[in-house]
PDB file of all heavy atoms in Angstrom:
ATOM      1  N   PHE U 164     -21.265   0.560 -19.522  1.00 94.00           N
ATOM      2  CA  PHE U 164     -20.624  -0.817 -19.521  1.00 94.00           C
ATOM      3  C   PHE U 164     -19.361  -0.706 -20.361  1.00 94.00           C
ATOM      4  O   PHE U 164     -18.954  -1.695 -20.916  1.00 94.00           O
ATOM      5  CB  PHE U 164     -21.575  -1.783 -20.153  1.00 94.00           C
ATOM      6  CG  PHE U 164     -22.849  -2.101 -19.290  1.00 94.00           C
ATOM      7  CD1 PHE U 164     -24.064  -1.615 -19.664  1.00 94.00           C
ATOM      8  CD2 PHE U 164     -22.669  -2.803 -18.133  1.00 94.00           C
ATOM      9  CE1 PHE U 164     -25.162  -1.852 -18.853  1.00 94.00           C
ATOM     10  CE2 PHE U 164     -23.850  -3.094 -17.337  1.00 94.00           C
ATOM     11  CZ  PHE U 164     -25.092  -2.586 -17.630  1.00 94.00           C
ATOM     12  N   GLU U 167     -12.220   0.293 -20.529  1.00 88.00           N
ATOM     13  CA  GLU U 167     -11.178   1.160 -20.915  1.00 88.00           C
ATOM     14  C   GLU U 167     -10.365   0.488 -22.028  1.00 88.00           C
ATOM     15  O   GLU U 167     -10.152  -0.693 -21.999  1.00 88.00           O
ATOM     16  CB  GLU U 167     -10.332   1.567 -19.758  1.00 88.00           C
ATOM     17  CG  GLU U 167     -11.122   2.627 -19.001  1.00 88.00           C
ATOM     18  CD  GLU U 167     -10.427   2.978 -17.673  1.00 88.00           C
ATOM     19  OE1 GLU U 167      -9.178   3.024 -17.634  1.00 88.00           O
ATOM     20  OE2 GLU U 167     -11.127   3.174 -16.705  1.00 88.00           O
ATOM     21  N   SER U 271      -4.254 -14.349 -15.050  1.00 98.00           N
ATOM     22  CA  SER U 271      -3.438 -13.153 -14.955  1.00 98.00           C
ATOM     23  C   SER U 271      -2.871 -12.970 -13.527  1.00 98.00           C
ATOM     24  O   SER U 271      -3.273 -13.688 -12.606  1.00 98.00           O
ATOM     25  CB  SER U 271      -4.237 -11.923 -15.399  1.00 98.00           C
ATOM     26  OG  SER U 271      -5.268 -11.660 -14.468  1.00 98.00           O
ATOM     27  N   PHE U 340      -3.505  -0.962 -15.603  1.00 97.00           N
ATOM     28  CA  PHE U 340      -4.238  -2.130 -15.108  1.00 97.00           C
ATOM     29  C   PHE U 340      -4.599  -3.144 -16.241  1.00 97.00           C
ATOM     30  O   PHE U 340      -5.001  -4.222 -15.965  1.00 97.00           O
ATOM     31  CB  PHE U 340      -5.466  -1.738 -14.335  1.00 97.00           C
ATOM     32  CG  PHE U 340      -6.711  -1.312 -15.126  1.00 97.00           C
ATOM     33  CD1 PHE U 340      -7.665  -2.244 -15.360  1.00 97.00           C
ATOM     34  CD2 PHE U 340      -6.835  -0.045 -15.628  1.00 97.00           C
ATOM     35  CE1 PHE U 340      -8.830  -1.927 -16.086  1.00 97.00           C
ATOM     36  CE2 PHE U 340      -7.966   0.318 -16.409  1.00 97.00           C
ATOM     37  CZ  PHE U 340      -8.940  -0.642 -16.634  1.00 97.00           C
ATOM     38  N   LYS U 341      -4.577  -2.657 -17.462  1.00 96.00           N
ATOM     39  CA  LYS U 341      -4.704  -3.485 -18.617  1.00 96.00           C
ATOM     40  C   LYS U 341      -4.067  -2.825 -19.809  1.00 96.00           C
ATOM     41  O   LYS U 341      -3.636  -1.602 -19.701  1.00 96.00           O
ATOM     42  CB  LYS U 341      -6.160  -3.730 -18.898  1.00 96.00           C
ATOM     43  CG  LYS U 341      -6.961  -2.522 -19.317  1.00 96.00           C
ATOM     44  CD  LYS U 341      -8.475  -2.760 -19.302  1.00 96.00           C
ATOM     45  CE  LYS U 341      -8.969  -2.877 -20.708  1.00 96.00           C
ATOM     46  NZ  LYS U 341     -10.438  -2.840 -20.823  1.00 96.00           N
ATOM     47  N   ARG U 435       0.934 -12.479 -17.564  1.00 98.00           N
ATOM     48  CA  ARG U 435      -0.180 -12.372 -18.456  1.00 98.00           C
ATOM     49  C   ARG U 435      -0.221 -13.495 -19.401  1.00 98.00           C
ATOM     50  O   ARG U 435      -1.098 -13.485 -20.313  1.00 98.00           O
ATOM     51  CB  ARG U 435      -0.158 -11.024 -19.153  1.00 98.00           C
ATOM     52  CG  ARG U 435      -0.312  -9.869 -18.234  1.00 98.00           C
ATOM     53  CD  ARG U 435      -1.784  -9.718 -17.842  1.00 98.00           C
ATOM     54  NE  ARG U 435      -2.073  -8.538 -17.105  1.00 98.00           N
ATOM     55  CZ  ARG U 435      -3.294  -8.081 -16.779  1.00 98.00           C
ATOM     56  NH1 ARG U 435      -4.333  -8.734 -17.274  1.00 98.00           N
ATOM     57  NH2 ARG U 435      -3.457  -7.005 -16.087  1.00 98.00           N
TER      58      ARG U 435
HETATM   59  C1  UDX K   2     -14.895  -3.154 -16.689  1.00 86.80           C
HETATM   60  C2  UDX K   2     -16.054  -3.777 -17.460  1.00 86.80           C
HETATM   61  O1  UDX K   2     -15.592  -4.669 -18.442  1.00 86.80           O
HETATM   62  C3  UDX K   2     -16.958  -2.708 -18.072  1.00 86.80           C
HETATM   63  O2  UDX K   2     -18.091  -3.259 -18.677  1.00 86.80           O
HETATM   64  C4  UDX K   2     -17.394  -1.738 -16.999  1.00 86.80           C
HETATM   65  O3  UDX K   2     -18.153  -0.689 -17.455  1.00 86.80           O
HETATM   66  C5  UDX K   2     -16.193  -1.155 -16.283  1.00 86.80           C
HETATM   67  O4  UDX K   2     -15.368  -2.189 -15.731  1.00 86.80           O
HETATM   68  P1  UDX K   2     -12.507  -2.216 -17.422  1.00 86.80           P
HETATM   69  O5  UDX K   2     -12.263  -2.209 -15.967  1.00 86.80           O
HETATM   70  O6  UDX K   2     -12.222  -1.008 -18.227  1.00 86.80           O
HETATM   71  O7  UDX K   2     -14.058  -2.532 -17.609  1.00 86.80           O
HETATM   72  O8  UDX K   2     -11.686  -3.345 -18.056  1.00 86.80           O
HETATM   73  P2  UDX K   2     -11.863  -4.958 -18.338  1.00 86.80           P
HETATM   74  O9  UDX K   2     -11.525  -5.195 -19.730  1.00 86.80           O
HETATM   75  O10 UDX K   2     -13.103  -5.511 -17.903  1.00 86.80           O
HETATM   76  O11 UDX K   2     -10.620  -5.575 -17.493  1.00 86.80           O
HETATM   77  C6  UDX K   2     -10.673  -5.522 -16.112  1.00 86.80           C
HETATM   78  C7  UDX K   2      -9.445  -6.210 -15.492  1.00 86.80           C
HETATM   79  O12 UDX K   2      -9.506  -7.662 -15.696  1.00 86.80           O
HETATM   80  C8  UDX K   2      -8.125  -5.765 -16.176  1.00 86.80           C
HETATM   81  O13 UDX K   2      -7.107  -5.653 -15.184  1.00 86.80           O
HETATM   82  C9  UDX K   2      -7.783  -6.925 -17.100  1.00 86.80           C
HETATM   83  O14 UDX K   2      -6.444  -7.074 -17.394  1.00 86.80           O
HETATM   84  C10 UDX K   2      -8.329  -8.134 -16.300  1.00 86.80           C
HETATM   85  N1  UDX K   2      -8.648  -9.320 -17.090  1.00 86.80           N
HETATM   86  C11 UDX K   2      -9.626  -9.258 -18.008  1.00 86.80           C
HETATM   87  C12 UDX K   2      -8.053 -10.498 -16.780  1.00 86.80           C
HETATM   88  O15 UDX K   2      -7.124 -10.608 -15.910  1.00 86.80           O
HETATM   89  N2  UDX K   2      -8.374 -11.650 -17.535  1.00 86.80           N
HETATM   90  C13 UDX K   2      -9.302 -11.624 -18.522  1.00 86.80           C
HETATM   91  O16 UDX K   2      -9.610 -12.687 -19.123  1.00 86.80           O
HETATM   92  C14 UDX K   2      -9.915 -10.357 -18.788  1.00 86.80           C
END
Side-chain angles (χ1 to χ4, degrees):
F164 294 107
E167 284 172 37
S271 67
F340 82 97
K341 63 190 259 191
R435 293 287 185 168

